[in-house]
Amino acid sequence: MKKKLLLLFLFSSFFISAQNLSMAQILDIKKKTLGNAEEFLTEKGWEFSEAQEPTDELMGSAVFTYRKSDVSDGAESFLSFVYSSFSDVTRITIQISKKEKYIEYLNSIKGYGCKQLSSKVEDGKIVKVYQGVTTTFVIKSATTSNYYDQEVVTWILSVFSNEDYKLNFGE
């Protein structure tokens, strides 16, 4: 009986941790088409939430949630796949609420050899920009109220190509 419980615990721990996305997986999703990204995320336990078609003025987007709450619009994580109908430009934005995941992503970014371009406070958030050879990462640290009206820290990580970031955000 103890062996069965131990196996069940180990299997469930592996299953839960396997559902979170690594930085390498996020970068891989950025290279996918919308349909392929949706299939990949669904296989990883993410749920489609909403989408907006691209227009002449705005890029399209699809939003996915991970571990969505049954009692609110909250979730453990949100991921936006932003794409253009006129080019192959895609952007990924992921919101996380676990400090361990934030540190994992930050260490991955630094491990890729990215250098910090800037850090500042903007609209009450700490905004840091890291850039590597081909990719720019923007990390925003913010506080927000959760469903229970408690103040919690969230991190928003956005991933751009360097060209897209320079063209649209001027750095």
Side-chain angles (χ1 to χ4, degrees), residues 2-117:
K2 287 183 182 179
K3 283 186 179 180
K4 286 183 182 179
L5 287 174
L6 180 61
L7 274 171
L8 180 62
F9 174 75
L10 290 174
F11 179 75
S12 63
S13 295
F14 173 76
F15 181 74
I16 289 169
S17 66
Q19 296 305 305
N20 284 328
L21 299 173
S22 68
M23 181 58 73
Q25 289 171 319
I26 291 171
L27 294 174
D28 187 49
I29 292 167
K30 187 179 174 310
K31 297 175 189 173
K32 295 181 181 297
T33 65
L34 174 61
N36 290 335
E38 182 273 333
E39 291 172 7
F40 179 83
L41 289 166
T42 300
E43 288 174 6
K44 293 293 184 186
W46 290 74
E47 295 180 26
F48 169 72
S49 178
E50 63 183 86
Q52 182 174 338
E53 291 179 53
T55 66
D56 291 342
E57 295 85 27
L58 296 173
M59 295 175 76
S61 66
V63 177
F64 301 87
T65 60
Y66 180 66
R67 292 192 177 165
K68 186 171 180 337
S69 171
D70 292 333
V71 295
S72 73
D73 289 335
E76 186 175 305
S77 293
F78 294 87
L79 183 141
S80 295
F81 181 91
V82 180
Y83 64 98
S84 171
S85 59
F86 300 108
S87 70
D88 62 353
V89 171
T90 57
R91 301 173 184 160
I92 299 291
T93 298
I94 185 167
Q95 177 188 337
I96 54 173
S97 57
K98 298 209 179 265
K99 182 168 80 171
E100 297 82 11
K101 202 65 180 170
Y102 160 70
I103 291 169
E104 177 188 322
Y105 289 159
L106 184 60
N107 287 337
S108 292
I109 291 166
K110 291 177 179 180
Y112 292 142
C114 298
K115 302 294 180 207
Q116 191 177 86
L117 293 182

Side-chain angles (χ1 to χ4, degrees), residues 127-142:
V127 180
K128 298 184 291 185
V129 178
Y130 291 86
Q131 195 167 71
V133 175
T134 61
T135 308
T136 301
F137 301 89
V138 178
I139 302 172
K140 295 181 181 182
S141 302

